[in-house]
């Protein structure tokens, strides 16, 4: 698995701010140097000032090179071993508490790894800690915008708790990322329902909406939520 510790999440704006700081420092240093040299032009101090200006710019260049090398090194993809083996094994054996502890440890070790938050979020859903599941899935999406199962999972939870309009943006994004999802018909039905809700053609929500009842842990953790939000008889309300 790869992770980019500097470029993930809030570190990207931080890197941009660092580059902006270098540009601002360069501008002020250049303007200050030009001003001092212009004032000293033709005086006996001019050669000495020029010498110190060259020394100062030399140190500035060395600092910039070192600074950028540091961030370049930090931004390189880091290969890590698959960290979920113990948690997956515990989950497969039905030991939810052990799996939960292991996934939380992975999140603490790799806080910028979207898949870690996704795994934890899905397990929290299984043990009915829905608020925690929503929070972790949102983190997973923020850290890894291409993680379609996280969008599908979050959309499914929001649909069971709210309206089709709540779920629509996540289902639409998920289908954009994974247009061949086997659950596409279900997601598309909810999207179509959301459009009708927005148009005022039907009342938001549904009395027939099912309670949150996750699929088996193995299915949920591997490929996103099964269509557990289907109504009686397998039909979507």
């Amino acid at each position: 698995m790869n992770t980019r510790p500097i470029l993930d999440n809030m570190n990207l704006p931080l890197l941009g701010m660092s580059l902006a700081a270098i540009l601002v420092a360069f501008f002020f240093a250049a303007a200050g140097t030009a001003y001092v040299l212009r004032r000293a032009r033709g005086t006996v101090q001019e050669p000495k000032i020029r010498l110190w200006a060259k020394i100062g710019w030399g140190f500035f260049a060395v600092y910039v090179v070192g600074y950028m090398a540091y961030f370049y090194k930090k931004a390189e993809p880091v290969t890590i071993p698959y960290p979920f083996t113990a948690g997956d094994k515990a989950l497969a054996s039905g030991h939810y508490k052990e799996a939960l502890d292991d996934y939380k440890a992975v999140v603490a070790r790799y806080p910028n790894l979207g898949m870690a938050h996704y795994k934890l979020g899905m397990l929290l859903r299984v043990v009915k800690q829905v608020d925690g599941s929503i929070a972790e899935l949102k983190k997973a999406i923020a850290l890894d915008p291409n993680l379609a199962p996280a969008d599908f999972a979050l959309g499914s939870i929001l649909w069971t708790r709210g309206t089709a309009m709540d779920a629509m943006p996540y289902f639409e994004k998920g289908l954009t990322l994974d247009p061949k999802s086997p659950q596409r018909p279900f997601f598309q039905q909810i999207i179509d329902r959301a459009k009708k809700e927005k148009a005022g053609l039907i009342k938001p929500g549904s009395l027939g909406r099912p309670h949150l009842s996750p699929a088996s842990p193995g299915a949920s953790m591997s490929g996103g939520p099964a269509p557990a939000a289907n109504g009686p008889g397998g039909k979507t309300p």
Side-chain angles (χ1 to χ4, degrees):
M1 301 186 66
N2 291 332
T3 180
R4 298 179 69 87
I6 287 296
L7 297 184
D8 282 345
N9 200 28
M10 292 303 294
N11 289 318
L12 184 56
L14 179 62
L15 179 59
M17 290 172 60
S18 301
L19 294 175
I22 289 177
L23 292 176
V24 171
F26 176 83
F27 172 78
F28 279 102
T33 301
Y35 176 78
V36 172
L37 288 176
R38 186 174 61 181
R39 293 289 301 268
R41 186 172 300 165
T43 66
V44 294
Q45 289 85 13
E46 182 178 1
K48 185 182 294 185
I49 292 175
R50 287 186 177 277
L51 174 62
W52 281 108
K54 290 179 180 179
I55 293 174
W57 278 104
F59 276 108
F60 183 78
V62 171
Y63 171 78
V64 169
V65 170
Y67 189 79
M68 295 306 298
Y70 170 79
F71 275 101
Y72 178 80
K73 180 66 176 177
K74 284 291 186 179
E76 285 184 324
V78 177
T79 301
I80 61 175
Y82 185 79
F84 308 110
T85 302
D88 291 350
K89 185 177 179 179
L91 181 63
S93 301
H95 300 145
Y96 290 173
K97 185 179 184 306
E98 292 180 19
L100 196 61
D101 290 341
D102 186 76
Y103 288 157
K104 286 181 178 180
V106 175
V107 167
R109 196 180 317 137
Y110 305 110
N112 292 331
L113 188 60
M115 180 58 72
H117 292 278
Y118 169 70
K119 288 268 192 179
L120 178 58
M122 291 304 294
L123 181 52
L124 289 172
R125 176 185 175 180
V126 169
V127 298
K128 303 299 178 73
Q129 296 183 29
V130 183
D131 290 336
S133 176
I134 291 174
E136 291 299 326
L137 290 172
K138 286 183 177 180
K139 289 179 183 177
I141 292 170
L143 289 167
D144 189 351
N146 296 318
L147 191 59
D151 286 289
F152 292 145
L154 182 56
S156 294
I157 294 175
L158 295 179
W159 158 239
T160 60
R161 301 186 95 195
T163 70
M165 289 185 290
D166 297 326
M168 183 174 72
Y170 296 101
F171 285 163
E172 286 182 330
K173 179 171 173 283
L175 289 178
T176 299
L177 296 171
D178 184 13
K180 296 183 179 180
S181 169
Q183 296 173 245
R184 183 183 183 97
F186 166 69
F187 298 139
Q188 190 60 56
Q189 287 179 27
I190 304 304
I191 292 172
D192 293 341
R193 180 187 179 87
K195 293 178 180 178
K196 292 179 181 179
E197 288 181 355
K198 280 188 173 182
L201 299 177
I202 58 176
K203 183 179 179 180
S206 170
L207 294 177
R209 184 175 55 247
H211 296 294
L212 183 64
S213 179
S216 63
S220 296
M221 300 301 289
S222 60
N230 288 352
K235 296 182 180 180
T236 303

